[in-house]
Amino acid sequence: DQQVKQNSPSLSVQEGRISILNCDYTNSMFDYFLWYKKYPAEGPTFLISISSIKDKNEDGRFTVFLNKSAKHLSLHIVPSQPGDSAVYFCAAKAGGTSYGKLTFGQGTILTVHP
Amino acid sequence: EAGVTQSPTHLIKTRGQQATLRCSPISGHTSVYWYQQALGLGLQFLLWYDEGEERNRGNFPPRFSGRQFPNYSSELNVNALELEDSALYLCASSLTSMNTEAFFGQGTRLTVV
């Protein structure tokens, strides 16, 4: 039972354009959502998060949008840079559990072309 | 400040053997989490230790076990290795268990032949 899904295995974008990564979830108990970035041979690094009481959170070039009614969140990267090329994981935490006990999506490989 | 460190980086074992993976959390962090990332899959939650106690485990068989030591470092043991245990095993730590995000180590690549 895949409770967090990233339906696009890969995304290719031109440098300077917008990258939009999508994530869907099924568990209504999720109350906190995170995006992690992972380079080869490294562990995932935290990028940005959003609480279920919000619908948008911004941090520099990165913005996460949450649509609770659709159980959908997206990560926007503007403008995209070649250094953003990595695997992006969407993750969710259920209410009352630890911030380290997460349910992850399968990941989306983002490639930003110069 | 040193991040989460894991050892070894790579480990090759034969089917049926036991594997031991180690994790040192960020200094001051008391919670440690273990995840498995099999090829083509997302990270799957394995185990959570806090203050020396196992707090939760994911949907994995009992041959996956571990412990947390008084210095908060942790060990993951996988007994009776199977070929499908081949994966990247990631450890993460957090300052507390309930209100801080977790930071990941670089992982241990376990290959079972």
Side-chain angles (χ1 to χ4, degrees):
Chain A
D1 177 27
Q2 193 78 28
Q3 297 186 53
V4 177
K5 290 183 183 179
Q6 294 176 254
N7 292 316
S8 298
S10 63
L11 175 68
S12 185
V13 171
Q14 209 65 32
E15 181 179 6
R17 306 295 288 267
I18 184 171
S19 296
I20 300 176
L21 297 99
N22 294 303
C23 179
D24 297 297
Y25 64 96
T26 57
N27 189 342
S28 301
M29 299 302 292
F30 289 147
D31 68 349
Y32 197 77
F33 303 88
L34 308 91
W35 285 93
Y36 281 84
K37 180 168 74 171
K38 186 179 184 300
Y39 293 117
E42 293 184 14
T45 55
F46 169 73
L47 200 55
I48 192 170
S49 62
I50 187 166
S51 166
S52 60
I53 62 173
K54 294 186 175 182
D55 55 17
K56 178 182 174 182
N57 188 27
E58 263 182 284
D59 185 2
R61 297 185 296 114
F62 303 91
T63 303
V64 57
F65 295 91
L66 176 62
N67 183 333
K68 281 181 63 179
S69 60
K71 292 190 174 66
H72 177 84
L73 65 156
S74 61
L75 174 68
H76 293 211
I77 307 174
V78 184
S80 301
Q81 299 173 352
D84 296 330
S85 297
V87 181
Y88 288 78
F89 290 98
C90 168
K93 179 193 87 65
T97 64
S98 167
Y99 281 75
K101 183 178 182 295
L102 302 171
T103 302
F104 281 83
Q106 313 94 302
T108 297
I109 301 170
L110 173 65
T111 304
V112 181
H113 300 281
Chain B
E1 180 183 286
V4 177
T5 57
Q6 293 185 244
S7 63
T9 307
H10 293 86
L11 188 59
I12 300 175
K13 290 286 186 178
T14 303
R15 190 171 51 183
Q17 284 188 316
Q18 179 195 36
T20 298
L21 289 65
R22 295 180 176 85
C23 172
S24 292
I26 292 172
S27 177
H29 285 196
T30 62
S31 275
V32 170
Y33 313 85
W34 287 95
Y35 284 83
Q36 181 197 66
Q37 186 186 12
L39 194 62
L41 297 178
L43 284 71
Q44 304 289 319
F45 170 76
L46 250 171
L47 287 161
W48 166 23
Y49 290 97
D50 183 55
E51 296 285 356
E53 300 281 336
E54 181 181 302
R55 300 296 183 186
N56 210 326
R57 65 181 292 130
N59 190 24
F60 283 84
R63 56 191 187 81
F64 287 83
S65 65
R67 53 181 172 165
Q68 186 178 33
F69 299 99
N71 65 354
Y72 303 113
S73 66
S74 178
E75 200 172 83
L76 173 69
N77 295 295
V78 188
N79 294 320
L81 284 165
E82 300 177 2
L83 296 178
E84 50 265 36
D85 295 334
S86 296
L88 180 67
Y89 289 84
L90 291 157
C91 172
S93 74
S94 64
L95 187 60
T96 66
S97 64
M98 296 308 288
N99 58 9
T100 55
E101 280 96 6
F103 297 85
F104 283 84
Q106 83 285 3
T108 293
R109 172 72 62 188
L110 173 63
T111 303
V112 183
V113 296

